[in-house]
């Protein structure tokens, strides 16, 4: 990493002799080990997939060939090997350039912050590939290093950035997961004279590099160190800049690969066997882990609300009888966004889990991408209350084939009633943020189910939270709690607690000014305001900053969005926020990187920039993982979505641009077919790219994985609205004899004559004849619906058919594209 910044940071490096270097290492060797990230007291259930991060540490220009070898040879094979064992490989390769005016503190924070992420995933022993040659890279003056970096990472004066990475990630802890690759200097005479300075330092820096390699060889065993040779092969111009191309013996990449495989298996012994399809666990373990993590995070800053908690617990303890059952099985927590509904439910869930002989299910809508689907809630409920086995797998299969919510309701009700007869202990169901379900119809359907008499068994209780506009209004009134704003005392305690976590304190006058804001009684507003104050760097202007904080939640979020966009010189913050806004249910990070690349003309986004983007937007984003271990990003609250829409979208910056970019990435670049069939149709529909949508559903082989009822829903909105029932002008749709015996015209695997001409579903019996309105048919002759050729009768044509779903609407079958 050091050489990237070496050309930018022109600060003078003090001349150091051998005695100075020896004294530096004496100080380093006195440092205590880096405090390891021990296993936290909170342990989510073990999931099928784990993330493996490998941090690459080296200077930049002189190790271009080695890093190319890692990216193009070692990591692709290692990724395939990891995926076969349910591990997701993430290489942290911060090798691209840094803007000219990047502050030193941000450089350190980015490099060491990525290394800290590796620390967390391996409990203090990050996987590292360290490449050392004859260049030290940037050795900052002590004035260039922020005091926070000195204190947090024990930075030693005279140490390079690359050396600091090595000390923090490997040296001080004698990390057995670090591979050290030391390059022999015998190739240097082969270098062109103009490139010699890129590969070899002189003077004090050469002395420093010699000492660094000596200390590494002295501290680490031989099996962690690889001495390798190379030779100059010529010039590499593939990047647009001329780079010296080095060649390596074949054993060099194989050594790195084998070292990483061995250490990964030592760190994750439960993933030593190749996972076949039959060995895989069901997905509910991964889903539960996301909700457990959300539960753990939300309860960290919860204060007060004792009366509200007591009221909900009293509801859970209430005896239920047949006559009062309809009134006492559902409890609603209602409030405007940001008043702490989720935090209140986490406190109640924590108490409920401590109750003896109780069965607690909880679901936080919005905590991960899949959580916003009603089908996901139903499937998780069935998995929670049913024992593992063939019966549960059969239920999940049936739910996967449901295309109407009413079908899911019947299945869920049977499961709840059947399991309740086997266990009469109390069962508590918590569902947070019902209003954030992906479809408005799903919100009303779920509330209708839960409020229907006899839907929940006698000893089951359900607590939900929602906004006033989504709350249950009709029918018998359930128990209801309208959540009030925080009291002044609670708001003051929350502000003090939040800032104290970062060793910051407001004066009594400043705290009074903050709490005088009318929105200070809103927990979300207050925590966001405290975060804005925490990152504000000019203490003398702090009071003025407090006075200028907008007094509404949307106003504050809008000001945060505007600040982040204005501070970003690359315009990528704005693009990323808009892309996430267009992916309302969250999206994998690598997909966002691909779409961002599409926005920028196909140029790959440097890892350094992406890491900085993610860190910049940390206050607005929620990072979770899907069942395959991939990092996903979404907004942490629905109010952020509104703020981004209000602040960033306008006539000059239309959502269409970002929807098309995402659609292009998924259709033409994404290699994950399961993600493509889930994301692409929705994006094409929202972007009104109707022709591409129909073409994808009917002609793309990947679309065959989409169920017929889902395909029908997408096509329903595009169908011609002219009626073709009896008594209206219409023409029968026909398929010529040749096309009727072929397959795939409508995106299906069946014969065209046996398939629904809209959704492609199999029409075995009870198929309805399809018709065209006068606008979409030729008067006087009949054309084949597939090949558009005139039909003359030989071979005999077949009538175009509709399945019972598509045939319910007696309209023309033509698509308005």
């Amino acid at each position: 990493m050091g050489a990237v910044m070496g050309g930018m940071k022109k600060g003078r490096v003090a001349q150091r002799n051998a005695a100075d270097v020896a004294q530096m290492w004496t100080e380093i060797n006195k440092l205590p080990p880096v405090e390891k990230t021990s296993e936290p007291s909170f342990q989510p259930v073990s999931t099928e997939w784990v993330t493996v991060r490998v941090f690459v540490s080296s200077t930049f220009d002189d190790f271009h060939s080695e890093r190319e070898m890692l990216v193009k040879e070692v990591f692709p094979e290692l990724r395939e090997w990891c995926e076969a064992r349910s591990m997701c490989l993430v290489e942290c390769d911060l090798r691209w350039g840094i803007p000219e005016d990047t502050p030193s503190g941000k450089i350190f924070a980015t490099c060491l912050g990525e290394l800290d992420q590796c620390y967390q995933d391996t409990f203090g022993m990050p996987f590292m590939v360290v490449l050392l040659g004859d260049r030290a890279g940037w050795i900052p003056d002590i004035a260039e290093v922020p005091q926070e970096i000195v204190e947090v990472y024990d930075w030693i004066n005279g140490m390079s950035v690359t050396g600091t990475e090595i000390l923090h990630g490997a040296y001080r802890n004698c990390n057995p997961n670090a591979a050290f690759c030391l390059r022999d200097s015998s190739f240097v005479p082969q270098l062109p004279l103009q490139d010699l300075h890129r590969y070899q330092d002189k003077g004090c820096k050469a002395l420093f590099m010699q000492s660094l390699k000596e200390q590494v060889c002295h501290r680490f065993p031989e099996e962690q160190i690889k001495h390798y040779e190379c030779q100059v092969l010529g010039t590499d111009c593939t990047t647009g800049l001329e780079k010296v191309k080095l060649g390596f013996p074949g054993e060099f990449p194989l050594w790195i690969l084998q070292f990483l495989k061995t250490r990964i298996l030592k760190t994750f012994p439960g993933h030593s066997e190749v996972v076949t399809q039959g060995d895989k666990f069901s997905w509910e373990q991964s889903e539960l882990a996301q909700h457990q993590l959300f539960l753990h995070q939300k309860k960290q800053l919860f204060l007060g609300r004792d009366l509200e908690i007591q009221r909900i617990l009293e509801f859970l303890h209430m005896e239920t009888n047949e006559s009062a059952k309809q009134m006492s099985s559902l409890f609603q927590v209602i409030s405007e966004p940001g008043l702490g509904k989720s935090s209140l439910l986490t406190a109640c869930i924590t108490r409920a889990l401590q109750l003896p002989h109780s069965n607690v299910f909880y679901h936080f809508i919005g905590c991960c991408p899949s959580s916003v689907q009603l089908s996901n809630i139903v499937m998780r409920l069935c998995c929670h209350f049913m024992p593992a086995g063939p019966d549960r797998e059969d239920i999940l299969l049936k739910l996967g084939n449901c295309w109407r919510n009413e079908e899911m309701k019947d299945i869920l009700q049977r499961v709840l009633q059947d399991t309740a007869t086997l266990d009469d202990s109390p069962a508590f169901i918590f569902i947070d943020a019902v209003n954030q379900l992906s479809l408005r119809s799903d919100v009303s359907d779920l509330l209708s189910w839960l409020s229907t008499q006899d839907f929940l068994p006698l000893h089951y209780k359900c607590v939900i939270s929602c906004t006033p506009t989504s709350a249950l209004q009709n029918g018998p009134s359930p128990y209801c709690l309208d959540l009030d704003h925080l009291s002044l005392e609670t708001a003051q305690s929350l502000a003090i607690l939040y800032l104290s976590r970062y060793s910051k304190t407001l004066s009594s006058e400043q705290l009074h000014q903050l709490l005088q804001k009318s929105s200070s009684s809103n927990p979300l507003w207050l925590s966001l305001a405290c975060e804005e104050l925490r990152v504000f760097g000019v203490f003398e202007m702090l009071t003025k900053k407090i006075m200028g904080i907008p007094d509404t939640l949307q106003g504050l979020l809008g000001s945060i969005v505007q600040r982040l966009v204005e501070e970003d010189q690359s315009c990528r913050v704005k693009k990323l926020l808009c892309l996430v806004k267009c992916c309302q249910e969250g999206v994998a990070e690598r997909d966002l990187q691909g779409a961002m690349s599409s926005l920028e003309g196909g140029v790959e986004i440097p890892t350094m920039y992406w890491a900085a983007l993610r860190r910049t937007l940390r206050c607005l984003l929620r990072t979770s993982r899907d069942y395959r271990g991939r990092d996903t990003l979404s907004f942490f609250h629905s109010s952020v979505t509104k703020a981004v829409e209000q602040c960033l979208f306008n006539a000059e910056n239309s959502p269409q641009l970002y929807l098309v970019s995402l659609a292009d990435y998924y259709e033409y670049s994404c290699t994950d077919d399961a993600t493509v069939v889930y994301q692409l149709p929705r994006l094409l529909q929202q972007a009104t790219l109707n022709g591409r949508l129909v073409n994808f559903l009917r002609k793309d082989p990947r679309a065959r994985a989409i169920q017929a009822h889902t395909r029908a829903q997408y096509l329903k909105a595009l169908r011609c609205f002219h009626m073709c029932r009896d008594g209206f002008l219409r023409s029968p749709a026909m398929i010529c004899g040749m096309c009727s015996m072929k397959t795939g015209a409508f995106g299906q695997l069946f014969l065209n004559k046996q398939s629904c001409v809209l959704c492609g579903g199999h029409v075995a019996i009870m198929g309805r004849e399809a018709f065209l309105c006068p606008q979409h048919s030729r008067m006087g002759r009949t054309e084949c619906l597939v090949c558009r050729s005139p039909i003359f009768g030989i071979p005999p044509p077949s009538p175009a058919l509709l399945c019972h779903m598509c045939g319910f609407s007696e309209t023309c079958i033509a698509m308005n594209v």
Side-chain angles (χ1 to χ4, degrees):
M1 192 61 231
V4 182
M5 299 164 282
M8 298 162 27
K9 304 294 179 180
K10 302 297 184 182
R12 180 181 58 83
V13 179
Q15 297 294 320
R16 303 174 69 87
N17 56 32
D20 294 330
V21 173
Q23 178 61 33
M24 178 185 69
W25 283 105
T26 299
E27 294 180 32
I28 290 171
N29 290 323
K30 290 180 181 179
L31 292 173
V34 178
E35 184 178 347
K36 294 183 181 180
T37 306
S38 58
E39 293 194 26
S41 56
F42 163 71
Q43 281 290 319
V45 296
S46 58
T47 61
E48 179 185 353
W49 286 75
V50 296
T51 296
V52 174
R53 297 181 191 272
V54 180
F55 188 89
V56 181
S57 178
S58 80
T59 46
F60 177 40
D61 282 346
D62 53 330
F63 280 102
H64 170 76
S65 295
E66 282 89 343
R67 287 181 179 264
E68 283 291 290
M69 178 265 295
L70 287 174
V71 170
K72 295 180 180 179
E73 296 181 36
V74 175
F75 289 147
E77 182 175 345
L78 185 62
R79 177 174 290 106
E80 184 177 341
W81 180 86
C82 286
E83 289 178 349
R85 291 159 179 79
S86 296
M87 295 184 285
C88 181
L89 176 68
V90 178
E91 63 264 29
C92 301
D93 178 14
L94 307 180
R95 61 171 169 163
W96 282 278
I98 301 175
E100 186 71 29
D101 56 349
T102 301
S104 304
K106 188 171 183 179
I107 294 173
F108 273 109
T110 300
C111 299
L112 298 176
E114 286 298 297
L115 189 52
D116 285 340
Q117 181 67 52
C118 300
Y119 253 95
Q120 295 173 9
D121 286 342
T122 54
F123 303 114
M125 295 296 175
F127 300 109
M128 295 184 69
V129 176
V130 180
L131 305 169
L132 292 176
D134 296 318
R135 285 210 65 209
W138 180 37
I139 301 179
D141 287 336
I142 190 169
E144 295 180 284
V145 183
Q147 186 62 29
E148 181 181 1
I149 296 295
V150 175
E151 295 174 356
V152 173
Y153 296 101
D154 294 314
W155 181 78
I156 298 294
N157 187 23
M159 181 56 62
S160 68
V161 175
T162 303
T164 303
E165 294 172 352
I166 296 171
L167 293 183
H168 182 62
Y171 187 87
R172 289 171 60 185
N173 281 356
C174 297
N175 180 7
N177 292 339
F180 294 91
C181 305
L182 277 58
R183 186 171 62 193
D184 188 88
S185 303
S186 59
F187 76 100
V188 172
Q190 306 172 29
L191 291 169
L193 288 178
Q194 67 269 21
D195 291 314
L196 190 60
H197 71 283
R198 300 179 185 274
Y199 286 83
Q200 200 169 48
D201 280 329
K202 296 181 180 180
C204 61
K205 283 193 171 184
L207 189 63
F208 166 80
M209 283 306 299
Q210 180 183 348
S211 70
L212 176 59
K213 289 187 279 189
E214 288 175 354
Q215 291 290 332
V216 165
C217 292
H218 176 72
R219 195 172 188 90
F220 292 92
E222 291 183 1
E223 56 265 25
Q224 287 185 246
I225 300 174
K226 176 66 175 177
H227 296 270
Y228 70 98
E229 297 180 349
C230 61
Q231 58 180 333
V232 177
L233 300 180
T235 302
D236 179 7
C237 300
T238 57
T239 62
L241 295 174
E242 291 189 354
K243 299 279 187 180
V244 174
K245 186 175 183 180
L246 301 179
F248 314 99
E251 64 177 12
F252 178 42
L254 290 178
W255 182 86
I256 298 176
L257 186 63
Q258 188 57 47
F259 177 88
L260 290 174
K261 287 181 179 179
T262 301
R263 296 312 308 173
I264 289 170
L265 292 182
K266 288 282 188 182
T267 306
F268 300 107
H271 292 258
S272 59
E273 300 296 327
V274 175
V275 180
T276 63
Q277 188 66 31
D279 296 328
K280 290 188 176 182
F281 303 106
S282 52
W283 58 269
E284 69 268 13
Q285 293 282 323
S286 300
E287 293 287 324
L288 177 58
Q290 298 295 328
H291 294 273
Q292 285 184 319
L293 180 60
F294 186 87
L295 175 71
H296 177 70
Q297 293 171 338
K298 272 292 181 180
K299 66 183 181 183
Q300 297 304 303
L301 278 175
F302 182 77
L303 292 172
R305 303 288 194 190
D306 294 332
L307 293 176
E308 290 87 346
I309 294 175
Q310 180 181 352
R311 183 174 171 188
I312 294 175
L313 292 178
E314 288 175 352
F315 163 77
L316 298 180
H317 287 295
M318 188 186 313
E319 291 290 337
T320 305
N321 53 57
E322 288 292 347
S323 60
K325 176 174 176 289
Q326 186 176 356
M327 294 292 294
S328 58
S329 61
L330 179 63
F331 191 106
Q332 285 190 111
V333 178
I334 303 173
S335 79
E336 296 293 343
L339 288 184
K341 298 184 294 296
S342 299
S343 297
L344 175 62
L345 256 64
T346 60
C348 295
I349 292 168
T350 303
R351 302 280 189 92
L353 289 169
Q354 299 170 355
L355 298 176
H357 311 296
S358 61
N359 191 353
V360 181
F361 169 87
Y362 51 90
H363 186 98
F364 295 99
I365 298 173
C367 78
C368 58
S370 58
S371 65
V372 300
Q373 301 290 338
L374 179 59
S375 58
N376 182 262
I377 300 177
V378 174
M379 294 174 76
R380 289 195 63 234
L381 277 166
C382 291
C383 287
H384 179 86
F385 287 105
M386 290 185 71
D391 290 342
R392 188 167 79 177
E393 295 302 317
D394 182 58
I395 288 294
L396 293 179
L397 181 62
K398 290 180 180 178
L399 288 172
N401 292 325
C402 289
W403 66 281
R404 293 187 302 115
N405 287 351
E406 197 65 26
E407 296 178 39
M408 289 196 296
K409 173 193 173 184
D410 294 339
I411 294 174
L412 176 59
Q413 186 171 10
R414 286 197 300 271
V415 168
L416 295 178
Q417 297 295 342
D418 291 345
T419 54
T421 59
L422 302 176
D423 182 6
D424 59 357
S425 60
F428 307 136
I429 299 173
F430 293 85
I431 304 177
D432 177 50
V434 171
N435 53 285
Q436 292 188 37
L437 283 170
S438 58
L439 298 176
R440 291 292 305 170
S441 58
D442 289 348
V443 176
S444 57
D445 284 348
L446 178 59
L447 291 175
S448 174
W449 299 355
L450 296 174
S451 60
T452 300
Q453 188 173 10
D454 297 327
F455 179 78
L456 293 176
L458 188 62
H459 48 280
Y460 280 41
K461 299 288 180 63
C462 181
V463 180
I464 64 170
S465 72
C466 58
T467 57
T469 55
S470 301
L472 188 66
Q473 303 292 342
N474 300 322
S477 298
Y479 285 81
C480 182
L481 171 64
D482 289 309
L483 205 57
D484 292 328
H485 289 69
L486 295 177
S487 65
L488 179 61
E489 295 75 17
T490 302
Q492 177 174 310
S493 299
L494 181 59
I496 294 173
L497 174 63
Y498 190 101
L499 293 172
S500 66
R501 296 167 68 198
Y502 306 97
S503 302
K504 294 185 180 296
T505 305
L506 295 177
S507 68
S508 57
E509 178 61 26
Q510 291 169 336
L511 184 60
H512 175 74
Q513 289 180 340
L514 179 64
L515 298 177
Q516 283 297 303
K517 300 281 185 177
S518 61
S519 292
S520 64
S521 57
N522 182 305
L524 179 57
W525 182 95
L526 188 58
S527 60
L528 288 170
C530 289
E531 177 64 15
E532 283 292 278
L533 297 177
R534 183 187 75 81
V535 301
F536 188 68
V538 185
F539 180 77
E540 294 78 7
M541 300 294 293
L542 187 59
T543 300
K544 185 175 181 180
K545 174 70 174 178
I546 294 173
M547 296 174 63
I549 295 177
D551 207 3
T552 64
L553 177 59
Q554 289 302 135
L556 176 56
L557 284 169
S559 70
I560 294 173
V561 169
Q562 292 286 8
R563 174 180 65 81
L564 294 174
V565 170
E566 290 170 1
E567 291 175 353
D568 172 48
Q569 301 299 318
S570 68
C571 297
R572 285 181 171 139
V573 164
K574 179 178 181 179
K575 293 174 184 176
L576 181 55
L577 288 173
C578 292
L579 286 172
V580 176
K581 163 62 180 69
C582 293
C583 299
Q584 300 174 358
E585 299 173 10
V587 64
E589 275 196 51
R590 69 182 185 186
D591 295 343
L592 284 172
Q593 288 176 287
M596 183 85 81
S597 175
S598 176
L599 280 174
E600 301 193 354
V603 179
E604 185 177 0
I605 307 300
T607 306
M608 169 64 80
Y609 280 120
W610 188 258
L613 270 177
R614 198 175 59 232
R615 187 170 290 106
T616 299
L617 294 174
R618 180 176 54 186
C619 61
L620 300 178
L621 299 177
R622 174 180 293 129
T623 301
S624 57
R625 288 179 182 166
D626 62 17
Y627 70 97
R628 286 181 288 177
R630 301 180 305 173
D631 289 336
T632 61
L633 294 180
S634 58
F635 292 133
F636 82 96
H637 197 273
S638 59
S639 298
V640 182
T641 305
K642 297 178 182 177
V644 170
E645 184 175 7
Q646 293 173 358
C647 295
L648 301 185
F649 285 148
N650 50 49
E652 298 178 356
N653 189 54
S654 167
Q656 183 77 2
L657 173 66
Y658 303 96
L659 289 169
V660 172
S661 174
L662 285 161
D664 288 346
Y665 165 74
Y666 283 117
E667 186 165 9
Y668 306 124
S669 303
C670 183
T671 58
D672 186 349
D673 291 352
T675 303
V676 170
V677 299
Y678 178 73
Q679 294 279 9
L680 181 57
R682 178 186 62 83
L683 291 167
L684 293 175
Q685 184 182 60
Q686 290 184 350
T688 62
L689 299 174
N690 298 335
R692 282 177 61 179
L693 175 59
V694 173
N695 190 66
F696 172 75
L697 292 175
R698 289 184 170 177
K699 295 183 180 180
D700 196 308
R702 296 172 294 183
R704 292 173 183 167
I706 302 176
Q707 295 180 338
H709 64 81
T710 303
R711 191 193 310 267
Q713 290 297 320
Y714 283 116
L715 295 174
K716 180 180 179 181
L718 305 180
R719 190 171 171 179
C720 175
F721 59 86
H722 289 112
M723 295 301 301
C724 286
R725 63 175 58 161
D726 289 340
F728 286 77
L729 289 176
R730 62 182 185 177
S731 300
M734 304 295 291
I735 305 175
C736 71
M738 295 292 292
C739 292
S740 65
M741 300 305 294
K742 297 179 181 179
T743 63
F746 313 108
Q748 86 293 350
L749 296 174
F750 319 109
L751 292 177
N752 292 335
K753 69 176 182 179
Q754 297 175 346
S755 305
C756 175
V757 295
L758 286 182
C759 69
H762 188 222
V763 183
I765 56 174
M766 303 289 291
R768 295 191 178 186
E769 191 174 357
F771 292 92
L772 294 166
C773 68
Q775 180 180 340
H776 292 103
S777 61
R778 292 243 184 159
M779 298 299 295
R781 73 171 184 175
T782 304
E783 287 185 349
C784 173
L785 192 64
V786 177
C787 67
R788 299 299 179 183
S789 299
I791 296 177
F792 298 108
I794 300 176
S798 299
L801 299 177
L802 296 171
C803 66
H804 69 285
M805 289 185 296
C806 299
F808 183 78
S809 175
E810 298 181 271
T811 58
C812 173
I813 62 167
M815 295 287 108
N816 289 319
V817 294

